[in-house]
Amino acid sequence: MQNELGFQFGLGFAASLVEELTPDFIKEFAVYLANDRGLASSTIWLSCMHLKGVVGRAHDNGKIQRNVFAQFHISSKCKERTFLTEDDGEHQSSELKKVMTHEFEDANLAFVRDLFVFMNFFIKSLASPTTL
């Protein structure tokens, strides 16, 4: 009985907290994550999207009256990903070649390296089968 009451109290308490959310609070939360916690914009976006999903489901299920995320938008600002360099044909060796020739003491790491190298060549063959 006590666990059941505690569980019900917990849900009611959480619902009352969600009811008190405001768009300004959400913006301040994003600033807090960036400045005080030092999180990247993509991580902040992901955290806000999780919270937006919870609030949206609670609103859709009638647990809260309003969805404060209805007018809230945040961009993910994903950073540009770089790829491993390829062999330029001269004396400079590629990053992939360095990974391929690196010797690991741990057999598991060597196995992961082999899978990684295989994946790189496999994906490259799908992207441009004539250049392999």
Side-chain angles (χ1 to χ4, degrees):
M1 182 71 168
Q2 195 172 23
N3 285 339
E4 189 175 304
L5 287 176
F7 180 72
Q8 289 175 353
F9 173 75
L11 288 179
F13 182 68
S16 67
L17 286 177
V18 171
E19 278 289 339
E20 294 177 15
L21 282 177
T22 64
D24 288 337
F25 175 82
I26 296 166
K27 290 176 188 170
E28 290 173 13
F29 177 63
V31 169
Y32 161 78
L33 291 176
N35 295 340
D36 294 355
R37 299 294 307 262
L39 299 179
S41 61
S42 59
T43 307
I44 294 168
W45 177 82
L46 189 61
S47 298
C48 288
M49 290 302 102
H50 286 305
L51 183 57
K52 184 176 183 175
V54 169
V55 171
R57 281 190 295 277
H59 175 70
D60 292 344
N61 292 331
K63 301 293 183 191
I64 59 174
Q65 297 297 318
R66 62 189 171 95
N67 184 352
V68 294
F69 276 98
Q71 301 300 318
F72 180 78
H73 299 285
I74 187 171
S75 64
S76 62
K77 297 180 188 171
C78 293
K79 62 177 149 179
E80 182 74 24
R81 301 286 181 201
T82 58
F83 300 96
L84 294 177
T85 59
E86 295 186 31
D87 197 1
D88 61 3
E90 296 180 12
H91 295 88
Q92 184 180 10
S93 64
S94 70
E95 292 171 332
L96 184 57
K97 185 178 265 184
K98 288 178 185 175
V99 170
M100 290 170 55
T101 58
H102 184 80
E103 292 296 325
F104 290 100
E105 292 179 15
D106 185 352
N108 290 330
L109 290 177
F111 180 70
V112 170
R113 177 210 49 218
D114 294 342
L115 290 174
F116 177 79
V117 170
F118 172 79
M119 176 199 64
N120 275 275
F121 284 113
F122 180 73
I123 296 300
K124 187 176 178 181
S125 72
L126 292 177
S128 54
T130 59
T131 61
L132 245 187

